[in-house]
Amino acid sequence: MTEKHYALAIDTTRCMGCHTCGIACKQENNLPDNVWWCRSLTVGGDNMDAPSGVFPDVAMSYLTMQCQHCQNPACVKVCPVGATYQDEETGIVRQDYDKCIGCRMCMAACPYTGVRSFNWDEPSWSIEHALGSVDAPKHQKHVVEKCTMCYHRIAKGEEPACIDACPAAARHFGDVNDPGSAISVLIGKRAFKHLLPDRGTNPSIYYLV
């Protein structure tokens, strides 16, 4: 067990699929064009913001998707060079871009589709100047990228950018190894689900229902 276990709790009853978390993540981390570490998916019809069913019997909700920062991460087990690893202090699944050899075995092993991206070419941006934090990881060609849980912000005692930005207060962050933390209290009194629990990865994203 790691010293701390930083996790996110996402209230699916409050999330309105506004994509603010994804935009905040993209700006904070200066993500290249066409790269998203956090996405808002529509649970309903076949297209974004499309409900399932036939009026008036329709239903729709949203699910934000990102790296699940598993406590038993499949990606770490298959990385041949240790570029994907679990931080011993925080439990966050991190990546060392300088070690990454671009084999993409972590992408193949991860059961959560679309949470990683691979930079086939030199990263490019539609604007001429960088956005976000100067402490955010620098993007490189031929490496795998994913959500870092804004490790650079956590190291300074701040919360991930997506937490601060959520207008619906649907996102919560904290150490679930601390029974007195706000997130521990929250998941202790609310029902929640993990994605693909049968895979045994023990995700650190708690979806409150």
Side-chain angles (χ1 to χ4, degrees), residues 3 8 15 19 27 30 32 36 41 48 51-52 61 73 81 84 87 91 111 116 124 130 133 139 155 161 167 190 208:
E3 179 180 345
L8 299 182
C15 178
H19 305 281
Q27 178 170 321
N30 193 35
W36 296 88
L41 307 180
M48 184 181 295
S52 62
S61 60
V81 294
T84 300
D87 186 70
R116 282 174 164 80
S124 61
S133 173
H139 305 281
R190 289 281 302 275
L208 306 177

Side-chain angles (χ1 to χ4, degrees), residues 151-207:
Y151 188 87
H152 61 285
R153 290 173 60 95
I154 294 173
K156 297 185 292 186
E158 301 173 351
E159 294 187 328
C162 62
I163 305 297
D164 286 344
C166 180
R171 301 175 71 86
H172 308 271
F173 165 80
D175 178 13
V176 295
N177 278 353
D178 176 6
S181 68
I183 192 171
S184 290
V185 173
L186 184 62
I187 63 177
K189 66 182 181 182
R190 289 281 302 275
F192 63 82
K193 64 180 180 181
H194 288 308
L195 298 183
L196 304 180
D198 58 307
R199 299 299 183 93
T201 55
N202 192 15
S204 297
I205 309 297
Y206 295 77
Y207 292 94

Side-chain angles (χ1 to χ4, degrees), residues 100-123:
C100 181
I101 58 175
C103 69
R104 305 186 298 285
M105 290 183 67
C106 58
M107 299 180 74
C110 177
Y112 305 103
T113 303
V115 300
R116 282 174 164 80
S117 60
F118 182 71
N119 293 332
W120 290 97
D121 301 306
E122 287 292 346

Side-chain angles (χ1 to χ4, degrees), residues 7-191:
L8 299 182
I10 302 172
D11 192 337
T12 60
T13 67
R14 296 185 64 90
C15 178
M16 53 187 177
C18 67
H19 305 281
T20 302
C21 54
I23 296 296
C25 169
K26 192 171 183 69
Q27 178 170 321
E28 172 69 23
N29 293 285
N30 193 35
L31 298 186
D33 291 348
N34 301 317
V35 174
W36 296 88
W37 288 352
C38 179
R39 298 170 295 143
S40 295
L41 307 180
T42 303
V43 182
D46 295 331
N47 302 303
M48 184 181 295
D49 296 326
S52 62
V54 178
F55 182 81
D57 298 317
V58 295
M60 183 172 66
S61 60
Y62 298 95
L63 186 74
T64 54
M65 176 64 73
Q66 63 198 81
C67 173
Q68 300 291 295
H69 293 281
C70 305
Q71 293 302 286
N72 184 29
C75 56
V76 171
K77 296 177 181 179
V78 301
C79 181
V81 294
T84 300
Y85 65 100
Q86 187 176 28
D87 186 70
E88 294 182 355
E89 180 181 355
T90 64
I92 295 173
V93 176
R94 303 184 60 191
Q95 294 192 215
D96 187 330
Y97 295 161
D98 293 329
K99 287 185 178 180
C100 181
I101 58 175
C103 69
R104 305 186 298 285
M105 290 183 67
C106 58
M107 299 180 74
C110 177
Y112 305 103
T113 303
V115 300
R116 282 174 164 80
S117 60
F118 182 71
N119 293 332
W120 290 97
D121 301 306
E122 287 292 346
S124 61
W125 294 263
S126 298
I127 57 177
E128 297 179 354
H129 61 277
L131 299 174
S133 173
V134 296
D135 298 320
K138 301 300 184 289
H139 305 281
Q140 302 177 28
K141 181 180 179 179
H142 290 168
V143 301
V144 177
E145 295 191 345
K146 68 174 191 63
C147 162
T148 65
M149 206 180 278
C150 284
Y151 188 87
H152 61 285
R153 290 173 60 95
I154 294 173
K156 297 185 292 186
E158 301 173 351
E159 294 187 328
C162 62
I163 305 297
D164 286 344
C166 180
R171 301 175 71 86
H172 308 271
F173 165 80
D175 178 13
V176 295
N177 278 353
D178 176 6
S181 68
I183 192 171
S184 290
V185 173
L186 184 62
I187 63 177
K189 66 182 181 182
R190 289 281 302 275

